[in-house]
Amino acid sequence: AQSVTQPDIHITVSEGASLELRCNYSYGATPYLFWYVQSPGQGLQLLLKYFSGDTLVQGIKGFEAEFKRSQSSFNLRKPSVHWSDAAEYFCAVAPPGAGSYQLTFGKGTKLSVIP
Amino acid sequence: DAGVIQSPRHEVTEMGQEVTLRCKPISGHNSLFWYRQTMMRGLELLIYFNNNVPIDDSGMPEDRFSAKMPNASFSTLKIQPSEPRDSAVYFCASTERETQYFGPGTRLLVL
């Protein structure tokens, strides 16, 4: 069965600092990979996704993620964090190909931003 | 497009009462998912529909939970009878190809 690990439960960074959120997955083949963000009291918003091709993926709000097959990782990065980025971030995987689009989510990483 | 719409946004009820959560997916999306989010268990998939047909309900906790999708624009999740351990945020999501779009959620508190 597929699984997603986000090793950091909570991360605190200063505004303007760079950010990297870690995500590792366990799956037989390369799955579809996603990052979602959840602001307090809100639903999940898609930041970016990777299906195939270029391993560096650009998303909304200045985020990017890099797929590394050898490390089974899909880490999320942002060069300069803004206070409005404080939220919870979820990595998710889905089986590749058409058909079932069931997502398996990680437990999430809560990001706090110090002004 | 208004996105995925869920109602109510908040629900407070007493143990033993019936609770019905509603979801309107984005027009044209063929799949609909119901999730439950708690601090202890994170995001759990309860059930999903494809073209209004339930495909996988293995995540539904027990017989007290039921879900329907009578047409492409409406789905309900019902809990009867409700219990305090059902307190959680329930999300609905609809899918355009491989990407899921989430509603704002219903925060349920069972006293």
Side-chain angles (χ1 to χ4, degrees), chain B:
Chain B
D1 198 319
V4 176
I5 298 173
Q6 291 188 247
S7 64
R9 292 293 310 276
H10 298 88
E11 177 82 29
V12 181
T13 190
E14 292 186 344
M15 182 174 64
Q17 297 298 306
E18 177 180 295
V19 175
T20 300
L21 311 180
R22 297 173 176 80
C23 175
K24 176 178 169 55
I26 295 172
S27 177
H29 286 193
N30 295 328
S31 297
L32 183 142
F33 297 74
W34 282 101
Y35 292 89
R36 178 172 66 176
Q37 186 181 37
T38 61
M39 290 289 291
M40 292 297 294
R41 302 172 68 92
L43 267 165
E44 301 174 278
L45 176 64
L46 300 177
I47 184 171
Y48 84 94
F49 296 84
N50 194 35
N51 294 321
N52 312 337
V53 176
I55 302 300
D56 185 351
D57 64 354
S58 59
M60 296 284 263
E62 48 198 272
D63 291 345
R64 298 185 297 106
F65 285 69
S66 63
K68 294 181 180 180
M69 192 166 186
N71 56 62
S73 58
F74 184 66
S75 177
T76 60
L77 177 68
K78 186 176 293 187
I79 308 172
Q80 166 64 18
S82 58
E83 297 182 2
R85 60 192 168 123
D86 302 329
S87 298
V89 182
Y90 291 82
F91 289 103
C92 173
S94 67
T95 301
E96 179 185 47
R97 291 186 284 185
E98 303 86 355
T99 303
Q100 292 190 18
Y101 296 87
F102 283 74
T106 295
R107 187 173 296 273
L108 173 65
L109 177 61
V110 183
L111 303 174

